[in-house]
Short mmCIF file of all heavy atoms in Angstrom, two decimals:
data_model
loop_
_atom_site.label_atom_id
_atom_site.label_comp_id
_atom_site.label_asym_id
_atom_site.label_seq_id
_atom_site.Cartn_x
_atom_site.Cartn_y
_atom_site.Cartn_z
N VAL A 19 108.19 97.47 120.17
CA VAL A 19 108.45 98.82 120.67
C VAL A 19 107.21 99.42 121.33
O VAL A 19 107.29 99.99 122.42
CB VAL A 19 108.91 99.73 119.51
CG1 VAL A 19 109.08 101.16 119.96
CG2 VAL A 19 110.22 99.19 118.94
N CYS A 20 106.08 99.31 120.67
CA CYS A 20 104.87 100.00 121.14
C CYS A 20 103.86 99.05 121.76
O CYS A 20 103.02 99.47 122.54
CB CYS A 20 104.20 100.74 119.98
SG CYS A 20 105.33 101.73 119.01
N SER A 21 103.90 97.79 121.39
CA SER A 21 102.89 96.84 121.84
C SER A 21 103.19 96.36 123.26
O SER A 21 104.30 96.46 123.75
CB SER A 21 102.83 95.65 120.89
OG SER A 21 104.09 95.03 120.82
N VAL A 22 102.17 95.84 123.89
CA VAL A 22 102.32 95.32 125.24
C VAL A 22 102.12 93.81 125.27
O VAL A 22 102.20 93.19 126.32
CB VAL A 22 101.31 95.99 126.20
CG1 VAL A 22 101.59 97.46 126.32
CG2 VAL A 22 99.87 95.76 125.73
N ASN A 23 101.85 93.22 124.14
CA ASN A 23 101.60 91.79 124.08
C ASN A 23 102.90 91.05 123.83
O ASN A 23 103.52 91.20 122.78
CB ASN A 23 100.59 91.47 122.96
CG ASN A 23 100.07 90.06 123.06
OD1 ASN A 23 100.85 89.11 123.15
ND2 ASN A 23 98.76 89.91 123.04
N GLY A 24 103.33 90.24 124.79
CA GLY A 24 104.60 89.56 124.68
C GLY A 24 104.65 88.49 123.62
O GLY A 24 105.72 87.96 123.33
N GLN A 25 103.50 88.14 123.03
CA GLN A 25 103.48 87.09 122.03
C GLN A 25 103.93 87.58 120.65
O GLN A 25 104.20 86.78 119.77
CB GLN A 25 102.06 86.50 121.91
CG GLN A 25 101.59 85.79 123.16
CD GLN A 25 100.17 85.26 123.02
OE1 GLN A 25 99.53 85.47 121.99
NE2 GLN A 25 99.68 84.58 124.03
N ARG A 26 104.00 88.88 120.47
CA ARG A 26 104.40 89.39 119.17
C ARG A 26 105.89 89.15 118.92
O ARG A 26 106.70 89.17 119.83
CB ARG A 26 104.10 90.89 119.08
CG ARG A 26 102.62 91.20 119.18
CD ARG A 26 102.40 92.64 118.80
NE ARG A 26 101.10 93.10 119.30
CZ ARG A 26 100.72 94.35 119.28
NH1 ARG A 26 101.52 95.26 118.80
NH2 ARG A 26 99.53 94.70 119.74
N VAL A 27 106.21 88.93 117.65
CA VAL A 27 107.60 88.70 117.25
C VAL A 27 108.12 89.93 116.53
O VAL A 27 107.44 90.49 115.66
CB VAL A 27 107.70 87.47 116.33
CG1 VAL A 27 109.13 87.28 115.85
CG2 VAL A 27 107.22 86.22 117.07
N TYR A 28 109.29 90.39 116.90
CA TYR A 28 109.90 91.55 116.26
C TYR A 28 110.91 91.07 115.23
O TYR A 28 111.81 90.30 115.54
CB TYR A 28 110.58 92.43 117.31
CG TYR A 28 110.95 93.80 116.81
CD1 TYR A 28 110.04 94.85 116.89
CD2 TYR A 28 112.19 94.06 116.24
CE1 TYR A 28 110.36 96.11 116.43
CE2 TYR A 28 112.52 95.31 115.78
CZ TYR A 28 111.61 96.34 115.87
OH TYR A 28 111.93 97.59 115.41
N ILE A 29 110.73 91.52 113.98
CA ILE A 29 111.59 91.08 112.89
C ILE A 29 112.53 92.21 112.49
O ILE A 29 112.07 93.26 112.04
CB ILE A 29 110.76 90.65 111.66
CG1 ILE A 29 109.69 89.63 112.07
CG2 ILE A 29 111.67 90.07 110.59
CD1 ILE A 29 108.74 89.27 110.93
N PRO A 30 113.84 92.04 112.64
CA PRO A 30 114.78 93.08 112.20
C PRO A 30 114.60 93.39 110.71
O PRO A 30 114.23 92.50 109.93
CB PRO A 30 116.15 92.47 112.48
CG PRO A 30 115.90 91.39 113.48
CD PRO A 30 114.53 90.86 113.20
N LEU A 31 114.89 94.61 110.34
CA LEU A 31 114.74 95.02 108.95
C LEU A 31 115.58 94.15 108.02
O LEU A 31 115.17 93.83 106.90
CB LEU A 31 115.13 96.49 108.79
CG LEU A 31 114.93 97.11 107.41
CD1 LEU A 31 113.45 97.10 107.01
CD2 LEU A 31 115.45 98.55 107.39
N SER A 32 116.74 93.72 108.50
CA SER A 32 117.62 92.89 107.68
C SER A 32 117.02 91.52 107.37
O SER A 32 117.43 90.86 106.41
CB SER A 32 118.97 92.70 108.38
OG SER A 32 118.78 92.11 109.67
N ASP A 33 116.04 91.09 108.18
CA ASP A 33 115.39 89.79 107.96
C ASP A 33 114.06 89.91 107.21
O ASP A 33 113.43 88.89 106.92
CB ASP A 33 115.14 89.10 109.31
CG ASP A 33 116.43 88.68 109.99
OD1 ASP A 33 117.46 88.57 109.29
OD2 ASP A 33 116.42 88.47 111.22
N ILE A 34 113.64 91.12 106.93
CA ILE A 34 112.41 91.34 106.16
C ILE A 34 112.78 91.36 104.68
O ILE A 34 113.69 92.10 104.28
CB ILE A 34 111.72 92.65 106.57
CG1 ILE A 34 111.25 92.57 108.03
CG2 ILE A 34 110.54 92.97 105.65
CD1 ILE A 34 110.67 93.88 108.56
N PRO A 35 112.13 90.55 103.84
CA PRO A 35 112.47 90.55 102.41
C PRO A 35 112.43 91.98 101.84
O PRO A 35 111.47 92.72 102.10
CB PRO A 35 111.36 89.68 101.80
CG PRO A 35 110.95 88.77 102.91
CD PRO A 35 111.06 89.58 104.16
N PRO A 36 113.47 92.37 101.11
CA PRO A 36 113.53 93.75 100.60
C PRO A 36 112.28 94.17 99.85
O PRO A 36 111.85 95.33 99.96
CB PRO A 36 114.75 93.72 99.68
CG PRO A 36 115.62 92.64 100.24
CD PRO A 36 114.68 91.60 100.76
N LEU A 37 111.67 93.27 99.09
CA LEU A 37 110.50 93.66 98.30
C LEU A 37 109.31 94.01 99.19
O LEU A 37 108.49 94.85 98.81
CB LEU A 37 110.11 92.53 97.33
CG LEU A 37 109.10 92.92 96.25
CD1 LEU A 37 109.64 94.07 95.39
CD2 LEU A 37 108.76 91.72 95.37
N VAL A 38 109.23 93.42 100.37
CA VAL A 38 108.15 93.77 101.31
C VAL A 38 108.33 95.21 101.77
O VAL A 38 107.38 96.02 101.75
CB VAL A 38 108.15 92.81 102.52
CG1 VAL A 38 107.14 93.28 103.57
CG2 VAL A 38 107.83 91.39 102.08
N ALA A 39 109.54 95.56 102.18
CA ALA A 39 109.81 96.94 102.60
C ALA A 39 109.61 97.91 101.44
O ALA A 39 109.05 99.01 101.61
CB ALA A 39 111.23 97.05 103.14
N GLN A 40 110.03 97.52 100.26
CA GLN A 40 109.87 98.39 99.08
C GLN A 40 108.41 98.60 98.74
O GLN A 40 108.00 99.71 98.36
CB GLN A 40 110.62 97.78 97.89
CG GLN A 40 112.13 97.81 98.04
CD GLN A 40 112.84 96.93 97.03
OE1 GLN A 40 112.22 96.11 96.34
NE2 GLN A 40 114.16 97.07 96.93
N ALA A 41 107.60 97.57 98.88
CA ALA A 41 106.16 97.71 98.60
C ALA A 41 105.51 98.67 99.58
O ALA A 41 104.68 99.50 99.19
CB ALA A 41 105.49 96.34 98.67
N VAL A 42 105.88 98.58 100.85
CA VAL A 42 105.33 99.49 101.85
C VAL A 42 105.78 100.92 101.56
O VAL A 42 104.98 101.86 101.65
CB VAL A 42 105.75 99.05 103.27
CG1 VAL A 42 105.42 100.13 104.29
CG2 VAL A 42 105.08 97.73 103.64
N LEU A 43 107.02 101.11 101.20
CA LEU A 43 107.51 102.45 100.83
C LEU A 43 106.74 102.99 99.63
O LEU A 43 106.33 104.15 99.61
CB LEU A 43 109.00 102.40 100.53
CG LEU A 43 109.94 102.22 101.71
CD1 LEU A 43 111.37 101.99 101.23
CD2 LEU A 43 109.88 103.41 102.65
N ALA A 44 106.54 102.15 98.62
CA ALA A 44 105.81 102.58 97.42
C ALA A 44 104.39 102.98 97.77
O ALA A 44 103.84 103.94 97.20
CB ALA A 44 105.81 101.46 96.38
N ALA A 45 103.78 102.26 98.70
CA ALA A 45 102.38 102.52 99.06
C ALA A 45 102.22 103.72 99.98
O ALA A 45 101.26 104.49 99.86
CB ALA A 45 101.77 101.28 99.72
N GLU A 46 103.16 103.88 100.91
CA GLU A 46 102.99 104.88 101.97
C GLU A 46 103.83 106.13 101.81
O GLU A 46 103.39 107.22 102.15
CB GLU A 46 103.31 104.24 103.33
CG GLU A 46 102.35 103.15 103.76
CD GLU A 46 100.97 103.69 104.09
OE1 GLU A 46 100.85 104.86 104.50
OE2 GLU A 46 99.99 102.94 103.92
N ASP A 47 105.06 105.98 101.33
CA ASP A 47 105.98 107.12 101.35
C ASP A 47 107.09 106.90 100.32
O ASP A 47 108.23 106.60 100.68
CB ASP A 47 106.58 107.24 102.76
CG ASP A 47 106.96 108.65 103.11
OD1 ASP A 47 107.08 109.47 102.18
OD2 ASP A 47 107.14 108.95 104.30
#
């Protein structure tokens, strides 16, 4: 969305392990 480097891979939320998203939520918000 924000980057200009075409080498980056975008991972849909559905493909991100739930615990990874939960850890970020616990840490940030």
Side-chain angles (χ1 to χ4, degrees):
V19 175
C20 312
S21 58
V22 296
N23 192 309
Q25 295 178 358
R26 297 192 199 170
V27 177
Y28 194 88
I29 308 174
L31 185 62
S32 58
D33 292 340
I34 295 174
L37 193 59
V38 173
Q40 291 166 348
V42 169
L43 288 171
E46 294 291 332
D47 208 343

